[in-house]
Amino acid sequence: MNYLYDLHTHSNCSDGQLSPTELVTLAIANKVDVLALTDHDTVVGIAEAEAAAGNDLHIISGIEFSSVWKGRNIHVLGLNIDIESPALQSALEIQAKARFDRAKTISEKLAKVGVPGAWEGVQHYATGDNIGRPHFAQYLVDSGYVSNFAQAFKRYLGAGKIGDVKQQWPELETVIAWINAAGGTAVLAHPDKYDLTRTKLYTLLQDFVDAGGTGIEVISGNQQPAVTSKLIRAALDFSLLVSCGSDFHSSENGWQTPGKMSELPKGYKTVWDDWNILTG
Ligand code: AMP
Ligand code: MN
Ligand code: MN
Ligand code: MN
């Protein structure tokens, strides 16, 4: 039996559009068999996702950790983690504080370039206290500073711009250690999104493996076959387990819907091979 795995999705517990229940309903409609909810730096949506999934879908407890590596913002997925583990609990506290402090800093920086009121503004868009750059993007759009998300990132929030504040995030090796301590599989998320040369990508992968990382997201959303080939090659070169996910956030801004990402080439060792799920 060929099961459909989507191991990278977001809910409104971070910067996604749908509640965990709505996400699960959409994933079931799209014939996903195994879904990882991987909100940014939080697991608060997992219980709701599991309750909504019932017997129709298998939920993998996941998280997408923010980290820095050589001054860049790198995302690492923790898949099949024990969300009750003390290691994860303390990591969550650290990340929540980092995200809160960062949001304050972003607000101050935006005020200095003529965008006041961002701190108050983002409170309307974030569910709870998990504030991310997309919430700032929404504020910038709704307040008329930019006309869409792409512009918000291009002018204010993207790499190298005033709102790209990342000094609060832990080092790459720290988040990998958290994931391993929580019994999970550490997977380098969307390696093609970091605009790295092949040499830099391989330096990153060497550091990732040295720190205890074991997986690589070979498929992220809808991608070009050449990217898939490049990442399969990298997986083989570093003996990494392969993973795939839509990185679904919403039905807007060009995100893929759950389960509708490019196909993962067969014949490679996957992150789920050793999870012992969906047998029988
Ligand atoms: P943060 O977790 O606060 O650092 O925000 C990063 C998130 O911003 C990513 O996970 C995406 O959801 C979103 N994002 C990053 N770049 C863009 C972009 N160019 N357009 C739209 N959304 C983006
Ligand atoms: Mn996001
Ligand atoms: Mn990401
Ligand atoms: Mn993501």
Side-chain angles (χ1 to χ4, degrees), residues 8 40 64 75 189-190 247:
H8 187 160
H40 297 285
E64 182 172 14
H75 286 174
H190 44 62
D247 203 4

Side-chain angles (χ1 to χ4, degrees), residues 98-109 119 131 136:
R99 206 165 255 288
F100 183 88
D101 291 347
R102 187 187 70 143
K104 282 254 174 193
T105 306
I106 294 174
S107 305
E108 286 160 15
K109 292 198 172 218
W119 177 255
I131 300 162
F136 284 97

Side-chain angles (χ1 to χ4, degrees), residues 25-159:
T25 304
L26 180 57
I28 291 170
N30 287 354
K31 309 246 180 302
V32 174
D33 297 293
V34 181
L35 181 84
L37 176 59
T38 54
D39 273 313
H40 297 285
D41 304 300
T42 181
V43 296
V44 293
I46 304 280
E48 184 185 323
E50 279 174 346
N55 294 324
D56 296 327
L57 178 70
H58 188 97
I59 298 291
I60 294 293
S61 300
I63 193 163
E64 182 172 14
F65 275 128
S66 309
S67 77
V68 283
W69 174 81
K70 295 192 189 296
R72 295 163 201 269
N73 192 190
I74 301 293
H75 286 174
V76 183
L77 299 172
L79 298 180
N80 212 16
I81 44 170
D82 175 2
I83 63 175
E84 307 291 342
S85 64
L88 192 78
Q89 290 301 318
S90 68
L92 294 172
E93 269 178 44
I94 292 167
Q95 292 301 78
K97 181 171 186 324
R99 206 165 255 288
F100 183 88
D101 291 347
R102 187 187 70 143
K104 282 254 174 193
T105 306
I106 294 174
S107 305
E108 286 160 15
K109 292 198 172 218
L110 286 174
K112 284 192 185 137
V113 296
V115 181
W119 177 255
E120 293 73 25
V122 293
Q123 309 305 325
H124 299 292
Y125 304 116
T127 313
D129 50 9
N130 190 301
I131 300 162
R133 281 179 286 168
H135 303 119
F136 284 97
Q138 194 68 53
Y139 174 72
L140 287 163
V141 172
D142 290 355
S143 309
Y145 292 100
V146 293
S147 48
N148 55 47
F149 257 57
Q151 242 179 40
F153 276 89
K154 200 161 171 225
R155 293 197 191 155
Y156 293 100
L157 303 165

